[in-house]
CSV table of all heavy atoms in Angstrom, one decimal:
chain,number,residue,atom,x,y,z
K,1,MET,N,0.8,-1.2,0.0
K,1,MET,CA,0.0,0.0,0.0
K,1,MET,C,0.9,1.2,0.0
K,1,MET,O,1.8,1.4,0.8
K,1,MET,CB,-0.9,0.0,1.3
K,1,MET,CG,-1.8,1.1,1.3
K,1,MET,SD,-2.9,0.9,2.8
K,1,MET,CE,-3.4,2.5,3.0
K,2,ASN,N,0.6,2.1,-0.9
K,2,ASN,CA,1.4,3.4,-1.1
K,2,ASN,C,0.6,4.6,-0.5
K,2,ASN,O,-0.1,5.2,-1.3
K,2,ASN,CB,1.8,3.6,-2.5
K,2,ASN,CG,2.7,4.7,-2.7
K,2,ASN,OD1,3.2,5.3,-1.7
K,2,ASN,ND2,2.9,5.2,-3.9
K,3,SER,N,0.7,4.8,0.7
K,3,SER,CA,-0.1,5.9,1.3
K,3,SER,C,0.6,7.2,1.1
K,3,SER,O,1.8,7.3,1.1
K,3,SER,CB,-0.4,5.7,2.8
K,3,SER,OG,0.9,5.6,3.5
K,4,ARG,N,-0.2,8.3,0.9
K,4,ARG,CA,0.3,9.6,0.7
K,4,ARG,C,0.4,10.3,2.1
K,4,ARG,O,-0.6,10.2,2.9
K,4,ARG,CB,-0.6,10.4,-0.3
K,4,ARG,CG,-0.6,9.8,-1.7
K,4,ARG,CD,0.7,10.3,-2.4
K,4,ARG,NE,0.6,9.9,-3.8
K,4,ARG,CZ,1.6,10.0,-4.5
K,4,ARG,NH1,2.8,10.3,-4.1
K,4,ARG,NH2,1.6,9.6,-5.8
K,5,HIS,N,1.3,11.2,2.3
K,5,HIS,CA,1.4,12.1,3.4
K,5,HIS,C,1.5,13.5,2.9
K,5,HIS,O,2.1,13.7,1.8
K,5,HIS,CB,2.5,11.7,4.3
K,5,HIS,CG,2.3,10.4,5.0
K,5,HIS,ND1,1.4,10.2,6.1
K,5,HIS,CD2,2.8,9.2,4.8
K,5,HIS,CE1,1.4,9.0,6.4
K,5,HIS,NE2,2.3,8.3,5.7
K,6,TYR,N,1.0,14.4,3.6
K,6,TYR,CA,1.0,15.8,3.1
K,6,TYR,C,1.6,16.8,4.1
K,6,TYR,O,1.4,16.6,5.3
K,6,TYR,CB,-0.5,16.2,2.8
K,6,TYR,CG,-1.1,15.4,1.7
K,6,TYR,CD1,-1.8,14.2,2.0
K,6,TYR,CD2,-0.9,15.7,0.3
K,6,TYR,CE1,-2.3,13.4,1.0
K,6,TYR,CE2,-1.4,14.9,-0.6
K,6,TYR,CZ,-2.1,13.7,-0.3
K,6,TYR,OH,-2.6,12.9,-1.3
K,7,ASP,N,2.2,17.8,3.6
K,7,ASP,CA,2.7,18.9,4.5
K,7,ASP,C,1.8,20.1,4.3
K,7,ASP,O,1.4,20.4,3.1
K,7,ASP,CB,4.1,19.2,4.1
K,7,ASP,CG,5.1,18.2,4.6
K,7,ASP,OD1,4.9,17.7,5.7
K,7,ASP,OD2,6.1,17.9,3.8
K,8,ILE,N,1.5,20.8,5.3
K,8,ILE,CA,0.8,22.0,5.3
K,8,ILE,C,1.8,23.2,5.5
K,8,ILE,O,2.5,23.2,6.4
K,8,ILE,CB,-0.3,22.1,6.4
K,8,ILE,CG1,-1.3,20.9,6.2
K,8,ILE,CG2,-1.0,23.4,6.4
K,8,ILE,CD1,-2.2,20.7,7.5
K,9,VAL,N,1.8,24.0,4.5
K,9,VAL,CA,2.6,25.3,4.5
K,9,VAL,C,1.8,26.5,4.4
K,9,VAL,O,0.7,26.5,3.9
K,9,VAL,CB,3.7,25.2,3.5
K,9,VAL,CG1,4.6,24.0,3.7
K,9,VAL,CG2,3.2,25.2,2.1
K,10,ARG,N,2.3,27.6,4.9
K,10,ARG,CA,1.7,28.9,4.8
K,10,ARG,C,2.6,29.8,4.0
K,10,ARG,O,3.8,29.9,4.4
K,10,ARG,CB,1.3,29.5,6.1
K,10,ARG,CG,0.6,30.8,6.0
K,10,ARG,CD,0.2,31.3,7.4
K,10,ARG,NE,-0.8,32.4,7.4
K,10,ARG,CZ,-0.5,33.6,7.1
K,10,ARG,NH1,0.8,34.0,6.9
K,10,ARG,NH2,-1.4,34.5,7.1
K,11,LYS,N,2.1,30.5,3.0
K,11,LYS,CA,2.9,31.4,2.3
K,11,LYS,C,2.9,32.8,3.0
K,11,LYS,O,1.8,33.2,3.5
K,11,LYS,CB,2.2,31.7,0.9
K,11,LYS,CG,2.3,30.5,0.0
K,11,LYS,CD,3.6,30.1,-0.5
K,11,LYS,CE,4.0,31.1,-1.6
K,11,LYS,NZ,5.0,30.7,-2.4
K,12,ASP,N,4.1,33.3,3.1
K,12,ASP,CA,4.2,34.6,3.9
K,12,ASP,C,4.1,35.7,2.9
K,12,ASP,O,4.1,35.5,1.7
K,12,ASP,CB,5.6,34.6,4.6
K,12,ASP,CG,5.6,35.4,5.9
K,12,ASP,OD1,4.6,36.2,6.1
K,12,ASP,OD2,6.6,35.4,6.6
K,13,HIS,N,4.1,37.0,3.5
K,13,HIS,CA,3.9,38.1,2.6
K,13,HIS,C,5.0,38.2,1.6
K,13,HIS,O,4.8,38.7,0.5
K,13,HIS,CB,3.8,39.4,3.5
K,13,HIS,CG,2.7,39.4,4.3
K,13,HIS,ND1,1.4,39.6,3.9
K,13,HIS,CD2,2.6,39.3,5.7
K,13,HIS,CE1,0.5,39.6,4.9
K,13,HIS,NE2,1.2,39.4,6.0
K,14,ASP,N,6.2,37.8,1.9
K,14,ASP,CA,7.4,37.9,1.0
K,14,ASP,C,7.4,36.7,0.1
K,14,ASP,O,8.4,36.4,-0.6
K,14,ASP,CB,8.7,38.1,1.7
K,14,ASP,CG,9.0,36.9,2.6
K,14,ASP,OD1,8.3,35.9,2.7
K,14,ASP,OD2,10.1,37.0,3.3
K,15,LYS,N,6.4,35.8,0.1
K,15,LYS,CA,6.2,34.7,-0.7
K,15,LYS,C,7.1,33.5,-0.3
K,15,LYS,O,7.3,32.6,-1.0
K,15,LYS,CB,6.4,35.0,-2.2
K,15,LYS,CG,5.3,35.9,-2.7
K,15,LYS,CD,3.9,35.3,-2.5
K,15,LYS,CE,2.8,36.2,-2.9
K,15,LYS,NZ,1.5,35.8,-2.5
K,16,SER,N,7.7,33.6,0.9
K,16,SER,CA,8.4,32.5,1.4
K,16,SER,C,7.4,31.5,2.0
K,16,SER,O,6.3,31.9,2.3
K,16,SER,CB,9.5,32.9,2.4
K,16,SER,OG,8.8,33.4,3.5
K,17,ALA,N,7.7,30.2,2.1
K,17,ALA,CA,6.8,29.3,2.6
K,17,ALA,C,7.2,28.8,4.0
K,17,ALA,O,8.4,28.6,4.2
K,17,ALA,CB,6.7,28.1,1.7
K,18,MET,N,6.3,28.7,5.0
K,18,MET,CA,6.6,28.3,6.3
K,18,MET,C,5.9,27.0,6.6
K,18,MET,O,4.7,26.9,6.5
K,18,MET,CB,6.1,29.4,7.3
K,18,MET,CG,6.3,28.9,8.7
K,18,MET,SD,5.8,30.2,10.0
K,18,MET,CE,4.9,31.3,9.2
K,19,TRP,N,6.7,25.9,6.8
K,19,TRP,CA,6.1,24.6,7.1
K,19,TRP,C,5.3,24.7,8.5
K,19,TRP,O,5.9,25.2,9.4
K,19,TRP,CB,7.1,23.5,7.2
K,19,TRP,CG,6.6,22.2,7.5
K,19,TRP,CD1,6.1,21.3,6.6
K,19,TRP,CD2,6.4,21.5,8.8
K,19,TRP,NE1,5.7,20.1,7.2
K,19,TRP,CE2,5.9,20.3,8.5
K,19,TRP,CE3,6.7,21.9,10.0
K,19,TRP,CZ2,5.6,19.4,9.6
K,19,TRP,CZ3,6.4,21.1,11.1
K,19,TRP,CH2,5.9,19.8,10.8
K,20,LEU,N,4.1,24.2,8.5
K,20,LEU,CA,3.4,24.2,9.8
K,20,LEU,C,3.2,22.9,10.4
K,20,LEU,O,3.5,22.7,11.6
K,20,LEU,CB,1.9,24.8,9.6
K,20,LEU,CG,1.9,26.2,9.0
K,20,LEU,CD1,0.5,26.6,8.7
K,20,LEU,CD2,2.5,27.2,10.0
K,21,GLU,N,2.8,21.9,9.7
K,21,GLU,CA,2.6,20.5,10.2
K,21,GLU,C,2.3,19.6,9.1
K,21,GLU,O,2.2,19.9,7.9
K,21,GLU,CB,1.5,20.5,11.2
K,21,GLU,CG,0.1,20.9,10.7
K,21,GLU,CD,-0.9,21.1,11.8
K,21,GLU,OE1,-0.9,22.2,12.5
K,21,GLU,OE2,-1.8,20.2,11.9
K,22,ALA,N,2.3,18.3,9.4
K,22,ALA,CA,2.0,17.2,8.5
K,22,ALA,C,0.7,16.6,8.7
K,22,ALA,O,0.1,16.7,9.8
K,22,ALA,CB,3.1,16.1,8.6
K,23,ALA,N,0.1,16.0,7.7
K,23,ALA,CA,-1.2,15.4,7.8
K,23,ALA,C,-1.2,14.0,7.1
K,23,ALA,O,-0.4,13.9,6.1
K,23,ALA,CB,-2.3,16.2,7.1
K,24,SER,N,-1.9,13.1,7.6
K,24,SER,CA,-1.8,11.8,7.0
K,24,SER,C,-2.7,11.6,5.7
K,24,SER,O,-2.4,10.6,5.0
K,24,SER,CB,-2.3,10.7,8.1
K,24,SER,OG,-3.6,11.0,8.5
K,25,ASP,N,-3.6,12.5,5.4
K,25,ASP,CA,-4.3,12.4,4.2
K,25,ASP,C,-4.9,13.8,3.8
K,25,ASP,O,-4.8,14.8,4.6
K,25,ASP,CB,-5.6,11.4,4.4
K,25,ASP,CG,-6.5,11.8,5.5
K,25,ASP,OD1,-7.1,12.9,5.4
K,25,ASP,OD2,-6.6,11.0,6.5
K,26,LEU,N,-5.3,13.9,2.6
K,26,LEU,CA,-5.7,15.2,2.1
K,26,LEU,C,-6.9,15.8,2.8
K,26,LEU,O,-6.9,17.1,3.1
K,26,LEU,CB,-6.1,15.1,0.6
K,26,LEU,CG,-6.3,16.4,-0.2
K,26,LEU,CD1,-5.1,17.3,-0.1
K,26,LEU,CD2,-6.6,16.0,-1.7
K,27,SER,N,-7.9,15.0,3.2
K,27,SER,CA,-9.0,15.5,3.9
K,27,SER,C,-8.6,16.1,5.3
K,27,SER,O,-9.2,17.2,5.7
K,27,SER,CB,-10.1,14.4,4.1
K,27,SER,OG,-11.2,14.9,4.9
K,28,THR,N,-7.7,15.5,6.0
K,28,THR,CA,-7.2,15.9,7.3
K,28,THR,C,-6.5,17.2,7.1
K,28,THR,O,-6.7,18.2,7.9
K,28,THR,CB,-6.3,14.9,7.9
K,28,THR,OG1,-7.0,13.7,8.1
K,28,THR,CG2,-5.8,15.4,9.3
K,29,ALA,N,-5.7,17.4,6.1
K,29,ALA,CA,-5.0,18.6,5.8
K,29,ALA,C,-6.0,19.8,5.5
K,29,ALA,O,-5.8,20.9,6.0
K,29,ALA,CB,-4.1,18.4,4.6
K,30,GLU,N,-7.0,19.5,4.7
K,30,GLU,CA,-8.0,20.5,4.4
K,30,GLU,C,-8.8,21.0,5.7
K,30,GLU,O,-9.0,22.2,5.9
K,30,GLU,CB,-9.0,20.0,3.4
K,30,GLU,CG,-8.4,19.8,2.0
K,30,GLU,CD,-9.3,19.1,1.0
K,30,GLU,OE1,-10.1,18.3,1.5
K,30,GLU,OE2,-9.1,19.2,-0.1
K,31,SER,N,-9.1,20.0,6.5
K,31,SER,CA,-9.8,20.4,7.8
K,31,SER,C,-8.9,21.2,8.7
K,31,SER,O,-9.4,22.2,9.3
K,31,SER,CB,-10.2,19.1,8.5
K,31,SER,OG,-11.2,18.4,7.7
K,32,ARG,N,-7.7,20.8,8.7
K,32,ARG,CA,-6.7,21.6,9.6
K,32,ARG,C,-6.6,23.0,9.1
K,32,ARG,O,-6.5,23.9,9.9
K,32,ARG,CB,-5.4,20.8,9.7
K,32,ARG,CG,-4.4,21.5,10.6
K,32,ARG,CD,-4.9,21.5,12.0
K,32,ARG,NE,-4.0,22.1,12.9
K,32,ARG,CZ,-4.2,23.1,13.7
K,32,ARG,NH1,-5.4,23.6,13.9
K,32,ARG,NH2,-3.2,23.6,14.4
K,33,ILE,N,-6.4,23.2,7.8
K,33,ILE,CA,-6.3,24.5,7.3
K,33,ILE,C,-7.6,25.3,7.6
K,33,ILE,O,-7.5,26.5,7.9
K,33,ILE,CB,-6.0,24.5,5.8
K,33,ILE,CG1,-4.6,24.0,5.6
K,33,ILE,CG2,-6.2,25.9,5.2
K,33,ILE,CD1,-4.2,23.7,4.1
K,34,ALA,N,-8.8,24.7,7.5
K,34,ALA,CA,-10.0,25.4,7.8
K,34,ALA,C,-9.9,25.9,9.3
K,34,ALA,O,-10.4,27.1,9.5
K,34,ALA,CB,-11.2,24.5,7.6
K,35,GLU,N,-9.4,25.2,10.2
K,35,GLU,CA,-9.3,25.6,11.5
K,35,GLU,C,-8.2,26.7,11.7
K,35,GLU,O,-8.5,27.7,12.3
K,35,GLU,CB,-8.8,24.5,12.4
K,35,GLU,CG,-9.8,23.3,12.6
K,35,GLU,CD,-9.2,22.1,13.3
K,35,GLU,OE1,-8.0,22.1,13.6
K,35,GLU,OE2,-9.9,21.2,13.5
K,36,LEU,N,-7.1,26.6,11.0
K,36,LEU,CA,-6.0,27.6,11.1
K,36,LEU,C,-6.5,28.9,10.5
K,36,LEU,O,-6.2,30.0,11.1
K,36,LEU,CB,-4.8,27.1,10.3
K,36,LEU,CG,-4.0,26.0,10.9
K,36,LEU,CD1,-3.0,25.4,9.9
K,36,LEU,CD2,-3.3,26.5,12.2
K,37,GLU,N,-7.2,28.9,9.4
K,37,GLU,CA,-7.5,30.2,8.7
K,37,GLU,C,-8.6,31.0,9.5
K,37,GLU,O,-8.8,32.2,9.3
K,37,GLU,CB,-8.0,30.0,7.3
K,37,GLU,CG,-9.3,29.3,7.1
K,37,GLU,CD,-9.5,29.0,5.6
K,37,GLU,OE1,-8.8,29.3,4.8
K,37,GLU,OE2,-10.6,28.3,5.4
K,38,LEU,N,-9.2,30.4,10.5
K,38,LEU,CA,-10.2,31.1,11.3
K,38,LEU,C,-9.4,32.2,12.1
K,38,LEU,O,-10.0,33.3,12.4
K,38,LEU,CB,-10.9,30.2,12.3
K,38,LEU,CG,-12.0,29.3,11.6
K,38,LEU,CD1,-12.5,28.3,12.6
K,38,LEU,CD2,-13.1,30.1,11.0
K,39,CYS,N,-8.2,31.9,12.6
K,39,CYS,CA,-7.5,32.9,13.4
K,39,CYS,C,-6.2,33.4,12.7
K,39,CYS,O,-5.6,34.3,13.1
K,39,CYS,CB,-7.1,32.2,14.8
K,39,CYS,SG,-6.0,30.8,14.6
K,40,TRP,N,-5.9,32.8,11.5
K,40,TRP,CA,-4.7,33.2,10.8
K,40,TRP,C,-5.0,33.2,9.3
K,40,TRP,O,-4.5,32.3,8.6
K,40,TRP,CB,-3.6,32.3,11.2
K,40,TRP,CG,-2.2,32.8,10.8
K,40,TRP,CD1,-1.8,34.0,10.6
K,40,TRP,CD2,-1.1,31.9,10.8
K,40,TRP,NE1,-0.4,34.0,10.4
K,40,TRP,CE2,0.0,32.7,10.5
K,40,TRP,CE3,-0.9,30.5,11.1
K,40,TRP,CZ2,1.3,32.2,10.4
K,40,TRP,CZ3,0.5,30.0,10.9
K,40,TRP,CH2,1.5,30.9,10.6
K,41,PRO,N,-5.8,34.2,8.8
K,41,PRO,CA,-6.1,34.1,7.4
K,41,PRO,C,-4.9,34.3,6.5
K,41,PRO,O,-3.9,34.9,6.9
K,41,PRO,CB,-7.0,35.4,7.2
K,41,PRO,CG,-7.3,35.9,8.5
K,41,PRO,CD,-6.4,35.3,9.5
K,42,GLY,N,-4.9,33.8,5.4
K,42,GLY,CA,-3.8,33.9,4.4
K,42,GLY,C,-3.8,32.7,3.4
K,42,GLY,O,-4.8,32.0,3.2
K,43,GLU,N,-2.7,32.6,2.7
K,43,GLU,CA,-2.6,31.5,1.8
K,43,GLU,C,-1.9,30.3,2.3
K,43,GLU,O,-0.8,30.4,2.8
K,43,GLU,CB,-1.8,32.1,0.5
K,43,GLU,CG,-1.7,31.0,-0.6
K,43,GLU,CD,-0.9,31.6,-1.8
K,43,GLU,OE1,-0.9,32.8,-2.0
K,43,GLU,OE2,-0.3,30.7,-2.5
K,44,PHE,N,-2.6,29.2,2.2
K,44,PHE,CA,-2.0,27.9,2.7
K,44,PHE,C,-1.9,27.0,1.5
K,44,PHE,O,-2.6,27.1,0.5
K,44,PHE,CB,-2.9,27.3,3.7
K,44,PHE,CG,-3.1,28.0,5.0
K,44,PHE,CD1,-4.0,29.0,5.1
K,44,PHE,CD2,-2.2,27.8,6.1
K,44,PHE,CE1,-4.2,29.8,6.2
K,44,PHE,CE2,-2.4,28.5,7.3
K,44,PHE,CZ,-3.4,29.5,7.3
K,45,GLN,N,-0.9,26.1,1.6
K,45,GLN,CA,-0.7,25.1,0.5
K,45,GLN,C,-0.6,23.7,1.2
K,45,GLN,O,0.0,23.6,2.2
K,45,GLN,CB,0.5,25.5,-0.3
K,45,GLN,CG,0.4,26.7,-1.1
K,45,GLN,CD,1.6,27.1,-1.9
K,45,GLN,OE1,2.8,26.7,-1.4
K,45,GLN,NE2,1.5,27.8,-2.9
K,46,ILE,N,-1.1,22.8,0.4
K,46,ILE,CA,-0.9,21.4,0.8
K,46,ILE,C,0.0,20.8,-0.2
K,46,ILE,O,-0.2,20.8,-1.4
K,46,ILE,CB,-2.2,20.6,0.8
K,46,ILE,CG1,-3.2,21.3,1.7
K,46,ILE,CG2,-2.0,19.2,1.1
K,46,ILE,CD1,-4.7,20.8,1.6
K,47,MET,N,1.1,20.2,0.3
K,47,MET,CA,2.2,19.6,-0.5
K,47,MET,C,2.3,18.1,-0.3
K,47,MET,O,2.3,17.7,0.8
K,47,MET,CB,3.5,20.3,-0.2
K,47,MET,CG,4.6,19.9,-1.1
K,47,MET,SD,6.2,20.6,-0.6
K,47,MET,CE,5.8,22.4,-0.6
K,48,ASP,N,2.3,17.4,-1.4
K,48,ASP,CA,2.6,16.0,-1.4
K,48,ASP,C,4.0,15.7,-0.9
K,48,ASP,O,5.0,16.2,-1.5
K,48,ASP,CB,2.4,15.4,-2.7
K,48,ASP,CG,2.5,13.9,-2.8
K,48,ASP,OD1,3.6,13.4,-2.4
K,48,ASP,OD2,1.6,13.2,-3.1
K,49,ARG,N,4.2,15.1,0.2
K,49,ARG,CA,5.5,14.9,0.8
K,49,ARG,C,6.4,14.1,-0.1
K,49,ARG,O,7.6,14.3,-0.1
K,49,ARG,CB,5.4,14.2,2.2
K,49,ARG,CG,6.7,14.1,2.9
K,49,ARG,CD,6.5,13.5,4.2
K,49,ARG,NE,6.1,14.6,5.2
K,49,ARG,CZ,5.8,14.3,6.4
K,49,ARG,NH1,5.9,13.2,6.9
K,49,ARG,NH2,5.4,15.3,7.2
K,50,HIS,N,5.9,13.2,-0.8
K,50,HIS,CA,6.7,12.3,-1.7
K,50,HIS,C,7.2,13.0,-2.9
K,50,HIS,O,8.4,13.0,-3.3
K,50,HIS,CB,5.9,11.0,-2.1
K,50,HIS,CG,6.7,10.1,-3.0
K,50,HIS,ND1,7.8,9.4,-2.5
K,50,HIS,CD2,6.5,9.9,-4.2
K,50,HIS,CE1,8.3,8.7,-3.5
K,50,HIS,NE2,7.5,8.9,-4.6
K,51,SER,N,6.3,13.7,-3.6
K,51,SER,CA,6.6,14.3,-4.9
K,51,SER,C,7.1,15.8,-4.8
K,51,SER,O,7.6,16.3,-5.7
K,51,SER,CB,5.5,14.2,-5.9
K,51,SER,OG,4.4,15.1,-5.4
K,52,HIS,N,6.8,16.3,-3.6
K,52,HIS,CA,7.0,17.7,-3.3
K,52,HIS,C,6.2,18.7,-4.2
K,52,HIS,O,6.6,19.8,-4.4
K,52,HIS,CB,8.6,18.1,-3.4
K,52,HIS,CG,9.3,17.3,-2.5
K,52,HIS,ND1,9.5,17.6,-1.2
K,52,HIS,CD2,10.1,16.1,-2.7
K,52,HIS,CE1,10.3,16.7,-0.6
K,52,HIS,NE2,10.7,15.8,-1.5
K,53,ARG,N,5.2,18.2,-4.7
K,53,ARG,CA,4.3,19.0,-5.6
K,53,ARG,C,3.1,19.6,-4.7
K,53,ARG,O,2.6,18.9,-3.8
K,53,ARG,CB,3.6,18.2,-6.7
K,53,ARG,CG,4.6,17.8,-7.7
K,53,ARG,CD,3.9,17.1,-8.9
K,53,ARG,NE,4.7,17.3,-10.0
K,53,ARG,CZ,4.4,16.8,-11.2
K,53,ARG,NH1,3.4,16.0,-11.3
K,53,ARG,NH2,5.2,16.9,-12.2
K,54,ILE,N,2.7,20.8,-5.0
K,54,ILE,CA,1.6,21.4,-4.3
K,54,ILE,C,0.3,20.9,-5.0
K,54,ILE,O,0.2,20.9,-6.2
K,54,ILE,CB,1.7,23.0,-4.5
K,54,ILE,CG1,2.9,23.6,-3.8
K,54,ILE,CG2,0.4,23.6,-4.0
K,54,ILE,CD1,3.2,24.9,-4.1
K,55,VAL,N,-0.5,20.3,-4.1
K,55,VAL,CA,-1.7,19.6,-4.7
K,55,VAL,C,-2.9,20.5,-4.5
K,55,VAL,O,-4.0,20.3,-5.1
K,55,VAL,CB,-1.9,18.2,-4.0
K,55,VAL,CG1,-0.8,17.3,-4.4
K,55,VAL,CG2,-2.1,18.3,-2.6
K,56,GLU,N,-2.8,21.5,-3.6
K,56,GLU,CA,-4.0,22.4,-3.4
K,56,GLU,C,-3.5,23.7,-2.7
K,56,GLU,O,-2.6,23.6,-1.9
K,56,GLU,CB,-5.0,21.7,-2.5
K,56,GLU,CG,-6.3,22.4,-2.4
K,56,GLU,CD,-7.4,21.6,-1.8
K,56,GLU,OE1,-7.2,20.4,-1.6
K,56,GLU,OE2,-8.4,22.2,-1.4
K,57,THR,N,-4.1,24.8,-3.1
K,57,THR,CA,-3.8,26.1,-2.5
K,57,THR,C,-5.1,26.6,-2.0
K,57,THR,O,-6.2,26.5,-2.6
K,57,THR,CB,-3.3,27.1,-3.5
K,57,THR,OG1,-2.1,26.6,-4.0
K,57,THR,CG2,-3.1,28.5,-2.9
K,58,ILE,N,-5.1,27.0,-0.7
K,58,ILE,CA,-6.3,27.5,0.0
K,58,ILE,C,-6.1,28.9,0.5
K,58,ILE,O,-5.1,29.1,1.3
K,58,ILE,CB,-6.7,26.6,1.1
K,58,ILE,CG1,-7.0,25.2,0.6
K,58,ILE,CG2,-7.9,27.1,1.9
K,58,ILE,CD1,-7.2,24.1,1.7
K,59,THR,N,-6.8,29.9,0.1
K,59,THR,CA,-6.7,31.2,0.6
K,59,THR,C,-7.9,31.6,1.4
K,59,THR,O,-9.0,31.5,1.0
K,59,THR,CB,-6.6,32.2,-0.7
K,59,THR,OG1,-5.6,31.7,-1.5
K,59,THR,CG2,-6.4,33.6,-0.2
K,60,GLY,N,-7.6,32.0,2.7
K,60,GLY,CA,-8.6,32.3,3.6
K,60,GLY,C,-8.8,33.8,3.8
K,60,GLY,O,-8.0,34.6,3.3
K,61,PRO,N,-9.8,34.4,4.4
K,61,PRO,CA,-10.8,33.5,5.2
K,61,PRO,C,-12.0,33.0,4.4
K,61,PRO,O,-12.8,32.3,4.9
K,61,PRO,CB,-11.2,34.6,6.2
K,61,PRO,CG,-11.2,35.9,5.5
K,61,PRO,CD,-10.0,35.7,4.6
K,62,THR,N,-12.0,33.2,3.1
K,62,THR,CA,-13.1,32.8,2.3
K,62,THR,C,-13.0,31.3,1.8
K,62,THR,O,-13.9,30.8,1.2
K,62,THR,CB,-13.3,33.7,1.1
K,62,THR,OG1,-12.1,33.6,0.3
K,62,THR,CG2,-13.6,35.1,1.4
K,63,ALA,N,-11.9,30.8,2.1
K,63,ALA,CA,-11.6,29.4,1.8
K,63,ALA,C,-11.8,29.0,0.3
K,63,ALA,O,-12.4,28.1,0.0
K,63,ALA,CB,-12.6,28.4,2.6
K,64,THR,N,-11.2,29.8,-0.5
K,64,THR,CA,-11.2,29.6,-1.9
K,64,THR,C,-10.1,28.5,-2.2
K,64,THR,O,-9.0,28.6,-1.8
K,64,THR,CB,-10.8,30.9,-2.6
K,64,THR,OG1,-11.6,31.9,-2.3
K,64,THR,CG2,-10.7,30.7,-4.2
K,65,ARG,N,-10.5,27.4,-2.8
K,65,ARG,CA,-9.6,26.3,-3.0
K,65,ARG,C,-9.3,26.3,-4.5
K,65,ARG,O,-10.1,26.3,-5.4
K,65,ARG,CB,-10.3,25.0,-2.7
K,65,ARG,CG,-10.3,24.9,-1.2
K,65,ARG,CD,-11.3,23.7,-0.7
K,65,ARG,NE,-11.0,23.3,0.7
K,65,ARG,CZ,-11.4,24.1,1.8
K,65,ARG,NH1,-11.8,25.3,1.5
K,65,ARG,NH2,-11.1,23.6,2.9
K,66,VAL,N,-7.9,26.1,-4.8
K,66,VAL,CA,-7.5,26.1,-6.1
K,66,VAL,C,-6.7,24.9,-6.3
K,66,VAL,O,-5.5,24.8,-5.8
K,66,VAL,CB,-6.5,27.3,-6.4
K,66,VAL,CG1,-6.0,27.3,-7.8
K,66,VAL,CG2,-7.3,28.6,-6.1
K,67,PRO,N,-7.3,23.9,-6.9
K,67,PRO,CA,-6.5,22.6,-7.1
K,67,PRO,C,-5.4,22.8,-8.1
K,67,PRO,O,-5.5,23.6,-9.0
K,67,PRO,CB,-7.6,21.6,-7.7
K,67,PRO,CG,-8.9,22.3,-7.7
K,67,PRO,CD,-8.6,23.8,-7.4
K,68,LYS,N,-4.3,22.1,-7.9
K,68,LYS,CA,-3.1,22.2,-8.8
K,68,LYS,C,-3.1,21.0,-9.7
K,68,LYS,O,-3.5,19.9,-9.4
K,68,LYS,CB,-1.8,22.3,-8.0
K,68,LYS,CG,-1.7,23.6,-7.2
K,68,LYS,CD,-1.3,24.7,-8.1
K,68,LYS,CE,-1.3,25.9,-7.3
K,68,LYS,NZ,-0.8,27.0,-7.9
C-alpha cells in the first residue's frame, strides 16, 4: 500500500513558505487549514510529501480552493 502524506505550509507576505505541520491524508490537511484560517487568514498550501508538488492552495478567510 502506497499511502500519501501531506505537508501544510503557509505562504508569507514575501512569498516564502513556512512549514506548519504534516497530515496523514488530504481531507485531514484541508480540515486543519480550515481551523487555522479562522485565526490566521492567508494563503495555505498542501504539498505531497513524496513528490514535493503542491496539490492544493487554499486562501482564507473565504476558503477559496485552487486545485493544482
